[in-house]
Amino acid sequence: MNKTPLTVRPQFLPVSLQLDRRVPLAIAFLFISTLAAMIISLGVGEFFIPPLGILQTLLGFNGDSDASFVLLTLRLPRILVAWLVGVGLAIAGTIIQSLTRNPLAEPGIIGINSGAALAAVSLIVIFPGVSVAVLPLAAFGGALAVTVLIYLIAWQGGSSPLRLILVGIGFNLIAAALTNLLVTFGNINQVSQALVWLAGSVYGRSWEQAIALVPWIVIGSSVAWLMSKELNGFHLGDDLAQGLGVSIEVRRGLLILVSTALAGASVATAGAIGFVGLVAPHIARQWVGNVHQGLLPTAALMGGCLVVVADLIGRVVFAPLELPCGIITAILGAPYFLYLLIKQR
């Protein structure tokens, strides 16, 4: 295989990129796979819509009001939310793995997702009269609060990757224990709602939620990609990163904040969907290597495809029952996590 990197020089931009030659092929494969999964998900279900009907409805040529309602109001925003959530979790996981130089790290494992879950469950169980619209803000606030605490406690004249991981695991356990405590002693009606949210689901997601999530994912992804050079340096180690001119603590703090925003917004929208931030970056790294200019978009498309497929499986395979996509990602991701543990020893 030709190992010579692929140089990309946009005609109207004063930049040039060097990518692994596998990146375009991986991106094309994931794009086609995601598009196929979306088309299947749009069509299948209790109300079947053939591919031609999907195209006609999307272009406004289908006069069937039932098909338009099912497709445009129920299924399409749900699928877009699933894809955006997968992208956000995958990029957040890629950032965390690079900062900690640990392929087993991800926002869920180091406590970010648990902080979001604790805040959301607290709102559901303790303040049942509060509007559901406040839930995303509470979840993001919980993720941000836990991240700040992790960074402050891990700080000892600097923030080493090992301390960040250990402190994060501790906060993950504490937040999970408090969440279980709330679920155990809460009112049965509120607890049922909290459990559905904790499982991670895009059921009933609307255009309003999809549109609200877009700026978080677009801005966070763009900042992460613009800081690809810094991520490359962090992946090589703090000493080498500093030798490459990376302002370690400032850039690490900013990247952790970006990861928190992406993970917090994703969890706030769809609940605690696990393992995507772990599996997607790891598979992408095996496909295209460690250069983040190509790794980040590959991991993002991988994460989006995983959540879309997981939602499709949960909605169709077990019909008329519907499993939250978070359960499907856990079923698929847990064995892979065990494999990584055994491989990394």
Side-chain angles (χ1 to χ4, degrees):
M1 181 180 293
N2 188 356
K3 297 293 185 179
T4 305
L6 178 66
T7 302
V8 180
R9 294 187 178 91
Q11 184 176 359
F12 301 104
L13 296 175
V15 297
S16 63
L17 303 173
Q18 283 194 335
L19 304 175
D20 190 295
R21 289 185 176 271
R22 296 170 293 179
V23 171
L25 182 61
I27 288 178
F29 173 78
L30 288 170
F31 177 80
I32 294 172
S33 300
T34 303
L35 186 61
M38 287 181 170
I39 292 173
I40 295 172
S41 188
L42 284 172
V44 301
E46 186 175 348
F47 190 98
F48 176 75
I49 306 174
L52 182 59
I54 294 173
L55 181 61
Q56 290 175 337
T57 303
L58 293 177
L59 296 177
F61 299 143
N62 192 342
D64 188 342
S65 59
D66 291 336
S68 297
F69 175 77
V70 170
L71 191 67
L72 300 178
T73 303
L74 300 181
R75 292 180 184 170
L76 185 57
R78 171 179 180 158
I79 292 170
L80 291 178
V81 166
W83 185 79
L84 289 168
V85 166
V87 169
L89 292 174
I91 295 178
T94 304
I95 293 172
I96 293 297
Q97 288 181 10
S98 298
L99 291 179
T100 60
R101 300 192 300 279
N102 189 332
L104 301 180
E106 63 129 351
I109 292 174
I110 69 168
I112 296 175
N113 290 0
S114 296
L118 176 60
V121 171
S122 299
L123 193 70
I124 293 171
V125 174
I126 300 175
F127 304 102
V130 175
S131 171
V132 179
V134 184
L135 192 62
L137 293 176
F140 176 72
L144 182 60
V146 167
T147 302
V148 171
L149 288 172
I150 290 172
Y151 203 77
L152 290 177
I153 294 176
W155 183 273
Q156 291 182 4
S159 56
S160 75
L162 179 60
R163 285 199 300 272
L164 286 172
I165 291 176
L166 294 177
V167 174
I169 290 174
F171 270 98
N172 183 35
L173 296 173
I174 293 171
L178 293 175
T179 302
N180 289 332
L181 186 67
L182 289 170
V183 169
T184 301
F185 293 102
N187 180 276
I188 186 63
N189 294 324
Q190 280 72 52
V191 166
S192 299
Q193 182 184 355
L195 289 175
V196 172
W197 191 88
L198 284 172
S201 175
V202 292
Y203 173 80
R205 296 306 182 266
S206 65
W207 283 110
E208 181 181 3
Q209 290 161 313
I211 293 172
L213 185 58
V214 166
W216 291 91
I217 302 302
V218 170
I219 295 174
S221 302
S222 300
V223 173
W225 191 81
L226 289 173
M227 297 184 71
S228 297
K229 177 183 175 182
E230 286 81 357
L231 283 170
N232 291 334
F234 279 118
H235 184 77
L236 297 173
D238 286 3
D239 293 337
L240 284 175
Q242 193 166 12
L244 293 173
V246 177
S247 302
I248 290 180
E249 297 305 335
V250 174
R251 301 302 174 88
R252 179 182 284 136
L254 178 57
L255 285 165
I256 289 177
L257 184 62
V258 172
S259 177
T260 301
L262 289 167
S266 300
V267 173
T269 303
I273 298 177
F275 291 102
V276 176
L278 169 70
V279 173
H282 193 81
I283 296 177
R285 191 172 283 109
Q286 290 181 324
W287 283 14
V288 302
N290 293 315
V291 179
H292 286 78
Q293 285 87 345
L295 175 61
L296 283 170
T298 305
L301 290 174
M302 177 71 71
C305 185
L306 285 175
V307 179
V308 170
V309 171
D311 181 54
L312 174 61
I313 293 173
R315 185 169 63 86
V316 174
V317 174
F318 301 95
L321 297 176
E322 182 170 322
L323 292 182
C325 57
I327 294 178
I328 304 299
T329 59
I331 292 173
L332 299 176
Y336 191 78
F337 180 65
L338 293 176
Y339 161 75
L340 290 181
L341 283 174
I342 295 171
K343 183 178 179 181
Q344 297 295 326
R345 299 189 182 277

